[in-house]
């Protein structure tokens, strides 16, 4: 176990409250739209996310919200929290924000989301957790709006906590986060939630059941694999959604070893699994009227005498065999087992898998957009709409028929790494394991981590996909 203090998990969010009266002497922020404004002799153009400090009575910051779109409000909330915490020598515990008479509930929610996520910080330090800002007080001139805004914030907070938990899980260093730790943590953070049942299966159970892909990938590590199974079953729910998340707690690439330069980032290679765990927790906390099962096949892809090899043939749960071409294409190996198991055991109405799967998708779409593959248009539209509501961008990619034959194997039923357009062939490989169930594959290799801050994102793990999954589940409720 760790001999140094780890940040709390889930991370603590600042308190955001709504009121119709301010507190005398409390530092105040004023929101400025694209028309601009002048306060205390300082002109602010209203540019989204631009914060300027002034000295005019109680007003200390001017914050630009631009044209007032949802993304503008999120960026403004994030920028304000960062500006408040920028001066460590002058810590500010509480700030109040004047909303103005024309602000609506959705804008309040987006401002709060930005503040919650933009102020996120993960650091393992001898000093423990730090951070000055504790409370953000949103001031509305409409007394009757306060209860409605409070209700809005309760839901938004659950979404923010989902993204925060997903970030925490992915940011945790891999000398702490092995498959057993991830499984134990998933069970702990879902404990006590109504309608939730959590189970973690060990390597003996995986061997008895024939999870050949998970066992092959995890076979080179001293930390054995796990299958995390979380079920949320509210009484009377008629729809059932299966979520499957890649849970590779560290990825060396195995015998097809990765370059050293980027390997330290592979602590986040379970970001898909983290998003799935966090989403189920939020779905249950919100008491959505939809049955959800979440599976996270967790393994560490390491190098040793017991590592799986290029050229091996692996038999997955359900019997399909795979010819291994590259041990660094390990995510699809563990997902294949979990997809077949989840579909055949639980008979869901739809299945969605989430994974930091291919560098090819990062090349194709960059680092701010997730790749979406889907077997049916209706499910694709649901995911895209959910992402729009969540503030996460997705781009639908094609399942090109021209590359289907490349996935079919000669030595085995399918080939794991057939070449060609990597993101597409990986998705086609996974499609071999989903039968005829409506299926979507979300490749988050690009947006799962960030090198610098932008909008409500901070450096490190981003928690991408967690909010989209919650909104997707809500669309079935």
């Amino acid at each position: 176990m760790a001999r140094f203090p780890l940040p709390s998990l889930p991370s603590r969010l600042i308190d955001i409250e709504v009121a119709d009266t301010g507190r005398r002497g409390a530092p105040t922020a004023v929101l400025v739209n694209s028309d601009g404004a002048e306060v205390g002799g300082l002109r602010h153009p209203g540019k989204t996310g631009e914060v300027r400090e002034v000295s005019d009575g109680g007003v200390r910051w001017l914050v630009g919200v631009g044209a007032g779109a949802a993304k503008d409000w999120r960026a403004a909330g994030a920028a304000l929290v960062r500006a408040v915490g920028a001066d460590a020598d002058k810590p500010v515990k509480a700030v109040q924000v004047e909303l103005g008479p024309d602000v609506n509930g959705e804008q309040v929610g987006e401002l709060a989301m930005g503040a919650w996520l933009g102020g996120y910080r993960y650091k393992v330090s001898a000093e423990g957790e730090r951070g000055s800002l504790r409370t953000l007080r949103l001031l509305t001139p409409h007394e009757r709006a306060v209860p409605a805004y409070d209700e809005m914030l309760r839901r938004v907070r659950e979404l923010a906590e989902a993204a925060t938990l997903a970030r925490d899980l992915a940011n945790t260093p891999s000398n702490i986060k092995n498959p057993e730790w991830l499984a134990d943590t998933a069970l702990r953070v879902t404990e006590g939630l109504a309608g939730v049942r959590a189970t973690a299966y060990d390597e003996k159970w995986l061997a008895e059941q024939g999870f050949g892909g998970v066992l092959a990938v995890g076979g080179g590590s001293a930390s054995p694999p796990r299958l995390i199974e979380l079920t949320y079953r509210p009484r009377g729910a008629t729809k059932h959604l299966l979520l499957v998340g890649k849970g590779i707690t560290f990825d060396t690439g195995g015998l097809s070893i990765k370059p050293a330069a980027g390997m330290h980032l592979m602590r986040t290679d379970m970001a898909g699994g983290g998003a799935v765990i966090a989403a189920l927790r939020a779905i249950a906390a919100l008491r959505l009227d939809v049955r959800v099962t979440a599976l996270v096949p967790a393994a560490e892809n390491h190098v040793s005498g017991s590592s799986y090899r290029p050229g091996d043939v692996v038999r997955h749960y359900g019997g399909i065999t795979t010819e291994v071409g590259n041990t660094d294409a390990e995510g699809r190996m563990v997902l294949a087992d979990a997809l077949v198991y989840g579909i055949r055991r639980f008979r869901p109405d739809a299945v969605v898998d989430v994974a930091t799967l291919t560098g090819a998708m990062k090349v194709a779409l960059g680092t701010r957009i997730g790749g979406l593959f889907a077997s049916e248009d209706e499910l694709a539209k649901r995911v895209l709409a959910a992402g729009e509501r969540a503030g996460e961008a997705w781009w639908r990619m094609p399942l090109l028929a021209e590359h289907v034959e490349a996935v079919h194997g000669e030595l085995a039923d399918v080939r794991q790494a057939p070449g060609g357009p990597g993101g597409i062939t990986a998705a086609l490989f996974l499609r071999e394991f989903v039968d005829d169930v409506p299926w979507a594959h979300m490749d988050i290799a690009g947006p799962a981590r960030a090198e610098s801050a932008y909008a409500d994102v901070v450096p490190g793990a981003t928690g991408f996909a967690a909010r989209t999954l919650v909104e997707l589940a809500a669309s079935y409720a």
Side-chain angles (χ1 to χ4, degrees), residues 92-117:
V92 176
K93 298 294 184 182
V95 172
Q96 51 192 15
V97 181
E98 294 182 359
L99 295 178
D102 299 325
V103 175
N104 60 45
E106 290 185 3
Q107 292 167 332
V108 169
E110 299 294 354
L111 182 72
M113 180 68 77
W116 275 319
L117 297 186

Side-chain angles (χ1 to χ4, degrees), residues 380-393:
K381 290 177 182 177
R382 279 184 183 268
V383 175
L384 292 171
E388 179 71 21
R389 292 192 298 273
E392 296 178 329

Side-chain angles (χ1 to χ4, degrees), residues 39-111:
V39 177
L42 178 66
R43 178 72 183 177
H44 193 300
K47 181 181 177 180
T48 299
E50 182 174 319
V51 180
R52 296 188 180 184
E53 192 166 352
V54 298
S55 179
D56 181 52
V59 178
R60 185 165 170 182
W61 299 277
L62 302 180
V63 186
V65 295
K71 64 180 181 180
D72 297 322
W73 284 90
R74 288 194 300 275
L80 172 60
V81 170
R82 289 179 188 135
V84 170
D87 191 348
D89 296 329
K90 298 178 181 179
V92 176
K93 298 294 184 182
V95 172
Q96 51 192 15
V97 181
E98 294 182 359
L99 295 178
D102 299 325
V103 175
N104 60 45
E106 290 185 3
Q107 292 167 332
V108 169
E110 299 294 354
L111 182 72

Side-chain angles (χ1 to χ4, degrees), residues 159-449:
L159 290 169
E161 287 186 343
T164 296
L165 175 57
R167 290 178 178 183
D168 290 338
L169 293 171
N171 279 328
T172 300
S174 293
N175 58 321
I176 303 298
K177 178 181 58 189
N178 60 20
E180 182 181 14
W181 181 93
L182 185 61
D184 290 345
T185 302
L187 270 56
R188 178 176 66 81
V189 299
T190 56
E191 186 177 7
L193 288 171
V196 173
R197 181 175 179 269
T199 308
Y201 298 106
D202 65 13
E203 69 275 21
K204 293 180 180 179
W205 183 92
L206 292 168
E208 291 170 356
Q209 299 297 317
F211 279 69
V214 178
L215 292 167
V217 172
S221 174
S223 299
R226 294 287 185 270
L227 177 68
I228 303 165
E229 181 178 301
L230 308 173
T231 61
Y232 168 63
R233 193 168 187 172
R235 186 172 299 176
T238 58
K239 293 294 184 180
H240 185 188
L241 181 63
L242 173 65
L243 306 178
V244 180
K246 173 184 170 183
I248 302 300
T249 57
F250 193 79
D251 182 19
T252 67
L255 295 180
S256 306
I257 198 162
K258 291 179 178 293
M263 196 186 292
H264 65 287
L265 297 174
M266 290 301 101
R267 66 181 178 273
T268 66
D269 207 26
M270 39 57 64
V276 164
I277 293 167
L280 186 130
R281 182 176 182 266
I283 290 163
L286 290 168
R287 299 185 178 182
L288 298 183
D289 187 24
V290 56
R291 181 182 173 190
V292 180
T293 299
L295 299 175
V296 179
E300 185 176 73
N301 189 23
H302 224 301
V303 182
S304 76
S306 57
S307 296
Y308 79 129
R309 298 160 288 259
D312 284 359
V313 172
V314 172
R315 187 179 299 277
H316 294 279
Y317 181 93
I320 295 177
T321 57
T322 290
E323 179 182 350
V324 177
N326 184 334
T327 64
D328 194 25
E330 84 298 329
R332 67 199 72 180
M333 298 292 291
V334 301
L335 290 174
D337 282 349
L339 285 167
V340 177
Y341 169 77
I343 289 170
R344 296 189 181 179
R345 177 174 179 182
F346 298 106
R347 305 294 180 185
D349 296 296
V351 57
V352 177
D353 73 75
V354 191
T356 50
L357 205 65
T358 66
M361 193 55 56
K362 184 176 180 180
V363 172
L365 296 177
T367 59
R368 301 191 184 187
I369 301 175
L372 170 66
F373 298 83
S375 61
E376 293 188 0
D377 291 344
E378 180 186 354
L379 181 55
K381 290 177 182 177
R382 279 184 183 268
V383 175
L384 292 171
E388 179 71 21
R389 292 192 298 273
E392 296 178 329
W394 299 91
W395 189 266
R396 189 177 182 186
M397 301 292 292
L399 291 163
L400 293 174
E402 293 84 350
H403 298 285
V404 171
E405 192 59 35
V407 176
H408 295 160
E410 296 181 3
L411 188 61
D413 294 322
V414 290
R415 291 200 295 165
Q416 169 225 33
I424 293 173
T425 55
L428 289 170
F429 174 88
L430 292 176
R431 192 175 66 173
E432 297 290 323
F433 297 87
V434 299
D435 298 331
D436 295 323
V437 179
W439 159 77
H441 162 57
M442 302 161 77
D443 192 331
I444 59 172
R449 61 183 73 93

Side-chain angles (χ1 to χ4, degrees), residues 22-33:
R23 292 178 178 173
R24 183 176 298 177
T28 301
V30 172
L31 304 174
V32 182
N33 63 25

